[in-house]
Amino acid sequence: MSFAFLLGSLAAAFALAADVPSTAVGTYLQETAQTYTTADGLPSDDVQRVVIGQNERVIALTADDAVELNGTTWSATNAVRAAQARPAVDANMRKYFPGAETINSFVVKVGTAAVGTEGGLFLASSSGWAPLFPADATRSWAPRGIKAVEYDAKGRLWFACPQGVGVLEGASWTLYEGRDGLPYNDFTCMAAAPDGSVWFGTTKGAIHFDGEHWEYRQGRRWLPDDHVRAIAVTADGAAYFATAKGVGVIKRVSMTLAEKAKFYEDEIDKYHRRTPYGYVLEVGLPEPGRKENVRQQDSDNDGLWTAMYGAGECFAYAATKDPAARERAQKAFDALEFLGKVTQGGEHSPPKGYVARTILPTSGHDPNIGRIQGDQREHDEGDKLWKVYEPRWPKSADGQWYWKSDTSSDELDGHYFFYAQYFDLVCETDAER
C-alpha cells in the first residue's frame, strides 16, 4: 500500500467525517444457500434428480425412494417417479440422430421439440428432425456432446456442450464460450428460471446466467457437492440441485444492508475473535461447510484485518449511532492499542510506536522452537529473500505474551487508517480523543 494511497484514504475519510448524511436504504435480493441431507429426512444423500411437482412441491429422487419437501423436512410422496436412465437411441431412431447412442437431453415446446445427443443438436420440424449448426457474427459450430437443451421463459432455445453455450432467439443465434465470460464447460444439466435466466449444472459447480452476468457457484459455500446431477427451479426463483451428497438450494432473499451486516457481525463475534482482545481474522475448518470446530491461529495481518473491521464499525456508528457498533469499534481500538503496548519494556524493546504483527500467549506453544532452522531451510530451499533473523518472537515485559516483530508497512497503514476513523467518528469527548 503506497503512502499516496494512504493519504488519499485519510483525506476521503476526513471529508466523510465532516458531514455524514442520513440515507434511506431499501431492500435488495441476497443469495443464500442451504443443504438438505438424511438428517432432514432424505432417504439417501445420493440424490439423482430433483423435479418440481404440483403446487410447486420440490421432489427429490434417490435410488431408494422419492420424497417431497414439506417446509424444512422431507417426507415420502406418491408422486410418479421420473425415469432415471437416458433413453437409448434404437436402430429406427438412429437415422434421425447420426452419431448418437443415447439422448442426453430433450425438451418439448408447443409445436416443436429439441434433442441433444453426443452426435449433435436436433430440432423437430414438419419434415422430421433437422440438425442445427449454430452460428453468430464471429463463429460457427457443429456442436457435439450436447449435455443439455432447454426452452427458457421467453421461448428461447438453449443448449450446453463442451464448445460452450448457445441460445436461439427467433432465427438468430448467440454463442458463449470462455472469452465471453462462461466460467466452465463440462456440463451435466440445465434448468430455466421464471425470470428468463438459466442455470447450468457442471461437474464442478453451478452457473447462473441472466443474459448479461455470469455467476459461478462452486464449493461448500454454495453446494453439497460440486458435481451437479440435476437442477429444478421454482416459481419464486429458488434453484434446487441434486448431488451425491444431498440436495442444495440457492434462494434470493429480500433483506436490508443492515440485516446482512448483522449476520456477518454475529458470525465474526461467534467464530473469528482471537485472544481476549478479540483480533478479527480468518479461521480454518476441519471439514468444509462445518463450523462446529473452527481452528483459530495467529496471522501476520492481525492488526490490519482488525483495523479494517474496526473502521467498518466506525462508519456503522457514524451512520446509525448504534451502541453495538460503537462497542465493537472500541474493542478494535483496544486490540490495536495493545499491539503497540506489548512491544515495550521487555528484553527486546523497540522504539515507542512500534506495533507487533500479532501475539500468542506464553501459556501455549513456544513459536521460537525450531523456527530458526525452519527459516534457514525456507531460505535455502525455497525463497532466497526469506529472512532469517532474531528476535522474531520476543516476550512481553510481563512474560504473558509472545509478540511477532518484522511488522510490515501495510500493517501500519491499517492502524493509521483506523485511528483516523475512530478519532473522528467514534470519540465523543476530549478525554476519549
Side-chain angles (χ1 to χ4, degrees), residues 105-384:
S105 181
F106 64 90
V107 62
V108 177
K109 191 180 76 166
V110 175
T112 188
V115 169
T117 75
E118 291 301 314
L121 177 65
F122 300 88
L123 186 68
S125 67
S126 58
S127 58
W129 292 96
L132 295 178
F133 301 99
D136 62 13
T138 62
R139 67 210 117 180
S140 60
W141 292 350
R144 295 291 184 269
I146 308 296
K147 297 300 182 182
V149 291
E150 184 69 271
Y151 283 103
D152 69 15
K154 298 179 181 180
R156 300 173 297 185
L157 175 63
W158 293 80
F159 74 91
C161 70
Q163 286 166 285
V165 166
V167 57
L168 177 63
E169 184 171 14
S172 299
W173 283 99
T174 304
L175 303 178
Y176 302 96
E177 50 188 323
R179 64 180 179 175
D180 307 296
L182 177 66
Y184 196 64
N185 65 350
D186 191 4
F187 297 101
T188 56
C189 57
M190 187 194 321
D195 62 0
S197 64
V198 288
W199 281 94
F200 301 94
T202 78
T203 58
K204 199 170 185 178
I207 301 168
H208 182 247
F209 185 51
D210 63 4
E212 183 177 356
H213 304 101
W214 296 94
E215 297 171 332
Y216 183 46
R217 301 293 179 249
Q218 180 265 333
R220 283 293 291 113
R221 167 67 177 84
W222 296 105
L223 299 165
D225 186 64
D226 279 343
H227 189 117
V228 178
R229 293 171 167 175
I231 306 173
V233 185
T234 59
D236 61 2
Y240 288 81
F241 306 91
T243 80
K245 296 181 180 178
V247 173
V249 57
I250 295 177
K251 297 180 179 179
R252 297 199 171 195
V253 179
S254 180
M255 64 171 55
T256 64
L257 290 174
E259 289 170 335
K260 181 175 182 178
K262 183 180 185 307
F263 171 83
Y264 282 108
E265 285 168 337
D266 290 345
E267 291 285 286
I268 288 170
D269 288 342
K270 188 173 183 180
Y271 300 111
H272 292 266
R273 293 191 177 278
R274 192 182 66 82
T275 83
Y277 292 94
Y279 295 103
V280 175
L281 66 156
E282 68 273 18
V283 297
L285 298 179
E287 181 182 342
R290 296 183 64 89
K291 298 183 288 187
E292 292 85 350
N293 299 301
V294 299
R295 292 194 296 255
Q296 293 187 338
Q297 62 185 32
D298 64 284
S299 162
D300 282 358
N301 297 111
D302 273 14
L304 176 60
W305 301 152
T306 303
M308 296 298 96
Y309 162 81
E313 294 300 332
C314 292
F315 292 134
Y317 181 66
T320 66
K321 297 302 179 184
D322 182 356
R326 175 179 168 84
E327 182 179 356
R328 289 189 174 106
Q330 289 174 327
K331 287 181 178 179
F333 176 83
D334 292 341
L336 294 172
E337 182 187 32
F338 186 72
L339 290 179
K341 290 181 176 180
V342 73
T343 63
Q344 301 301 300
E347 180 182 356
H348 301 283
S349 186
K352 184 179 179 181
Y354 185 94
V355 298
R357 279 187 177 275
T358 182
I359 57 173
L360 286 172
T362 54
S363 59
H365 77 281
D366 184 346
N368 293 296
I369 297 177
R371 186 193 53 74
I372 294 180
Q373 297 90 331
D375 282 350
Q376 190 65 56
R377 185 167 54 253
E378 182 69 29
H379 175 273
D380 295 343
E381 301 176 5
D383 184 358
K384 292 299 182 183

Side-chain angles (χ1 to χ4, degrees), residues 10 18 23 128 253 302 386 402:
L10 292 177
T23 304
V253 179
D302 273 14
W386 191 268
Y402 295 108

